[in-house]
Amino acid sequence: MASADDSPNGGTLPPTIDENIGTIAEYCERNQEKATPAQKIVERISLFLGSPGYFAVNACFIVCWIAWNSLAPVFDWTELDEPPFFWLQGFVSLNAFIISTTVLIRQNRMSKLAERNAHLDLQISLLSDEKTSKIIAMLEEIRRESPNLADKPDAKAEELAQPADTTSVLEAIDRKTH
């Protein structure tokens, strides 16, 4: 759970925010626990392969390989791979294959998580719409029944008091976007 100095200004977080952060952390932990050992290994490898350090090491290796093999005849060194650097091309191709495969594996898992999170967001939004509509309806009822408030019809409030018809909204989105 969050501590008293979790907010940027060192103050305490309200209990509801602290509780929500805990729920999110638990959700992330559950998703991480669902990953297979192979997925966890591939993700670690993918993070390493996508790092600036790995790029720098590769770039230095390639430059040194080309420099060594280009200067070998001049300094009477053993030439490992003469131009057009067949072995270097093979190494770079293998490296590209490994990087692209690990990235695709990681992206597939991340895509599934993103899809699940989008469904969760949609469910929460629909629930929030229902709750907000209910609150507006209750406030309108209080306004109508309160002797101290003028009972003027409010068309906008009446409209907002109705929960959204999700099927109609989805159909309208489909019509306008396709």
Side-chain angles (χ1 to χ4, degrees):
M1 284 299 216
S3 64
D5 48 350
D6 280 345
S7 66
N9 59 6
T12 59
L13 292 173
T16 53
I17 292 176
D18 191 44
E19 193 175 303
N20 288 338
I21 291 171
T23 302
I24 291 168
E26 289 172 12
Y27 176 73
C28 291
E29 284 178 30
R30 279 195 312 272
N31 284 327
Q32 189 61 27
E33 288 171 3
K34 289 180 184 178
T36 66
Q39 285 174 323
K40 290 177 182 178
I41 290 169
V42 167
E43 286 186 19
R44 283 192 201 116
I45 291 170
S46 179
L47 288 172
F48 170 71
L49 295 177
S51 69
Y54 184 75
F55 172 77
V57 167
N58 268 296
C60 287
F61 174 80
I62 292 169
V63 167
C64 290
W65 185 271
I66 291 171
W68 176 275
N69 287 290
S70 297
L71 297 173
V74 175
F75 293 105
D76 201 29
W77 296 335
T78 304
E79 193 173 11
L80 304 172
D81 188 17
E82 62 187 45
F85 309 114
F86 174 77
W87 289 104
L88 179 61
Q89 291 176 33
F91 171 76
V92 170
S93 296
L94 177 63
N95 195 27
F97 169 75
I98 290 170
I99 290 171
S100 61
T101 302
T102 56
V103 166
L104 285 173
I105 291 169
R106 186 165 195 266
Q107 281 182 336
N108 284 339
R109 183 168 178 275
M110 295 296 115
S111 176
K112 288 176 186 173
L113 282 174
E115 188 174 324
R116 187 178 317 140
N117 290 344
H119 286 281
L120 180 61
D121 285 346
L122 178 60
Q123 290 173 347
I124 290 171
S125 293
L126 292 173
L127 181 60
S128 295
D129 178 66
E130 282 184 40
K131 288 180 176 183
T132 303
S133 297
K134 181 64 176 174
I135 291 168
I136 292 170
M138 291 169 64
L139 287 172
E140 277 299 294
E141 185 178 335
I142 290 170
R143 185 188 56 76
R144 282 191 301 272
E145 294 178 5
S146 177
N148 298 335
L149 298 174
D151 187 21
K152 296 185 276 181
D154 185 345
K156 189 70 169 176
E158 291 294 328
E159 176 187 334
L160 292 173
Q162 302 302 315
D165 178 8
T166 53
T167 305
S168 298
V169 171
L170 288 172
E171 288 172 359
I173 290 170
D174 281 343
R175 279 192 309 272
K176 291 188 179 200
T177 59
H178 289 104

